[in-house]
Amino acid sequence: MTLRRMTLRRQIATAVAAISVLVAVAVGLLVHQAMIRQHVDQARASALSALDSALDTYGRSGEVAGRGAALEDPALPTSLRTLAHGGHQGSLLAAGPQGESMWAAGPVQGGGVLSVRVDFTQDRQAIADLDRIILIAVVASVFTTVLAGVLVADRISRRLRTAATAARSIAAGRTDTRIGELVDGRDEVADLAAAVDLMSRTLHRRLADEQRFTADVAHELRTPVTGLVTAAELLPPGRPTQLVQNRVQALRSLVEDLLEVSRLDADAETPDLSAVPLERAVRRTVTLTGLDVEVEVTADQRVRTDLRRLDRILGNLILNAHRHGAAPVRLHVDGRRITVRDHGPGYPDDLLRHGPQRFRTNAPERGRGHGLGLTIATGHARVIGATLTFTNHPTTGAVATLTLPPDPDAP
């Protein structure tokens, strides 16, 4: 697993563990080498001191005296014997039949070699005992450091996850969400939370201003548009009059859609729920649209929903399929799931990534329009607790899927 795929908590814990292991091993090796050097130096000094004493005694009395002293000892290492035959004194740590020993040797009169052996077994055991203590200390220190690192990383990770959850909530439209009260401290994470809160407040204010502007414009336009409709109806019959009436009706529909969008944006809508058989409700909606739609039912189910809003959602989906797609338009009912599919060029990539956006049809091949139909359908789906998703068929055409919530009173 690479660092790029690891969570922040694991990255911090891994880094702390690696650094603590490296530091502990380095300190342990330094202590180990220092203790070996100390014991070897002490054994060498002891062997050389014993050799000096033995050489002095041998020179005065001709006798070999002293613990570990011997003349022409057969166990003496060859390299040290050669050095002594050359007229020099020396010492050497070497293993032999009697175990590891520190040897010291020097020449005597007559061409002989006097040597002293100092047992190094206890020193080696002391070094081994120290190595075990160092190992235990290293393991304990690494465990303690890693545990502390995991706790710190977990706290940071938990606070970042809290901030990420709140940020996703803001992205989902709940711009009144705040992170500051969820993330304590005065560190960089708290700074990040404060920055996200500032962004959320600014975004909330701008969205509120936009919603207020949309509602105000729609309300202000409603009265003059109503007057235009009345005036257009008084014009004498003819082709120019029909064109004016069509444009005025389109303007009136746009104003009504804007008012509907503003109410949905303000979350001021409440559903009027009732239990209805889904197949009958769908066929009723198709009849009201007056458009050519093939209805297929795999499994009918009784649902509890707002019939008026269901009509509005399906009506907009069917109208969008006819206006921007191509025939045939098929509506499929499978339990609580309703699918509307056309055989046109499909939804544009921007809509699939970001969802419907008002006043944007996103692609010329999807036709012209104000981009409010799918926005209104999505808003009404949210009011009745349904889920509306948009995909493209693997072969051709756009697919809108409406999944209604289950009926809590259903057996």
Side-chain angles (χ1 to χ4, degrees), residues 16-286:
V16 170
I19 294 174
S20 61
V21 168
L22 290 176
V23 172
V25 170
V27 172
L29 289 175
L30 290 175
V31 174
H32 173 77
Q33 293 297 329
M35 291 304 299
I36 289 179
R37 190 179 302 111
Q38 179 182 358
H39 280 272
V40 170
D41 291 343
Q42 289 178 353
R44 178 174 285 109
S46 177
L48 291 174
S49 177
L51 177 63
D52 289 339
S53 177
L55 288 174
D56 183 65
T57 302
Y58 185 81
R60 285 186 288 103
S61 63
E63 296 180 358
V64 177
R67 185 176 180 181
L71 186 63
E72 299 295 341
D73 192 334
L76 180 66
T78 303
S79 58
L80 192 56
R81 185 187 302 275
T82 303
L83 180 67
H85 279 302
H88 302 284
Q89 293 185 10
S91 60
L92 178 67
L93 179 65
Q98 298 177 348
E100 195 172 14
S101 304
M102 177 63 73
W103 292 87
V108 295
Q109 294 178 355
V113 175
L114 180 64
S115 62
V116 174
R117 187 182 71 86
V118 176
D119 186 40
F120 198 76
T121 305
Q122 293 183 355
D123 295 85
R124 184 62 69 182
Q125 183 62 42
I127 293 174
D129 293 339
L130 180 63
D131 287 343
R132 282 192 292 270
I133 295 174
I134 292 175
L135 179 61
I136 294 173
V138 166
V139 172
S141 62
V142 169
F143 177 79
T144 304
T145 306
V146 171
L147 180 61
V150 168
L151 293 177
V152 173
D154 183 70
R155 182 172 181 271
I156 296 175
S157 178
R158 184 172 62 253
R159 296 165 71 206
L160 288 176
R161 283 197 302 270
T162 301
T165 301
R168 283 192 290 267
S169 177
I170 294 171
R174 294 183 288 275
T175 55
D176 56 343
T177 303
R178 297 294 179 266
I179 308 177
E181 60 269 16
L182 303 177
V183 178
D184 56 346
R186 297 178 178 272
D187 53 9
E188 289 80 358
V189 179
D191 293 340
L192 173 63
V196 173
D197 283 348
L198 177 60
M199 178 192 68
S200 176
R201 285 192 294 269
T202 303
L203 180 61
H204 182 76
R205 183 172 61 253
R206 290 184 179 180
L207 288 177
D209 293 341
E210 179 186 344
Q211 293 169 5
R212 191 180 306 109
F213 174 77
T214 303
D216 291 344
V217 169
H219 279 292
E220 291 297 328
L221 288 177
R222 196 172 193 180
T223 300
V225 168
T226 302
L228 285 175
V229 172
T230 303
E233 292 176 351
L234 298 177
L235 294 175
R239 179 62 179 171
T241 298
Q242 185 178 3
L243 292 175
V244 171
Q245 290 176 346
N246 289 341
R247 293 299 88 198
V248 169
Q249 288 296 335
L251 181 59
R252 182 179 184 179
S253 298
L254 174 59
V255 172
E256 294 297 331
D257 286 347
L258 284 174
L259 286 172
E260 190 170 6
V261 168
S262 66
R263 290 193 299 269
L264 291 171
D265 286 345
D267 291 330
E269 299 286 310
T270 55
D272 182 16
L273 301 178
S274 60
V276 294
L278 188 56
E279 179 183 2
R280 188 174 69 184
V282 167
R283 293 189 181 277
R284 170 182 173 275
T285 301
V286 172

Side-chain angles (χ1 to χ4, degrees), residues 253-323:
S253 298
L254 174 59
V255 172
E256 294 297 331
D257 286 347
L258 284 174
L259 286 172
E260 190 170 6
V261 168
S262 66
R263 290 193 299 269
L264 291 171
D265 286 345
D267 291 330
E269 299 286 310
T270 55
D272 182 16
L273 301 178
S274 60
V276 294
L278 188 56
E279 179 183 2
R280 188 174 69 184
V282 167
R283 293 189 181 277
R284 170 182 173 275
T285 301
V286 172
T287 302
L288 290 175
T289 63
L291 299 172
D292 185 17
V293 180
E294 299 178 8
V295 179
E296 301 175 351
V297 179
T298 300
D300 188 19
Q301 187 170 335
R302 192 174 184 84
V303 296
R304 186 173 182 82
T305 187
D306 188 324
L307 189 57
R308 180 183 68 84
R309 297 184 191 277
L310 182 61
D311 288 341
R312 189 76 167 119
I313 296 170
L314 295 180
N316 281 9
L317 294 179
I318 293 172
L319 180 61
N320 184 81
H322 275 276
R323 178 178 295 172

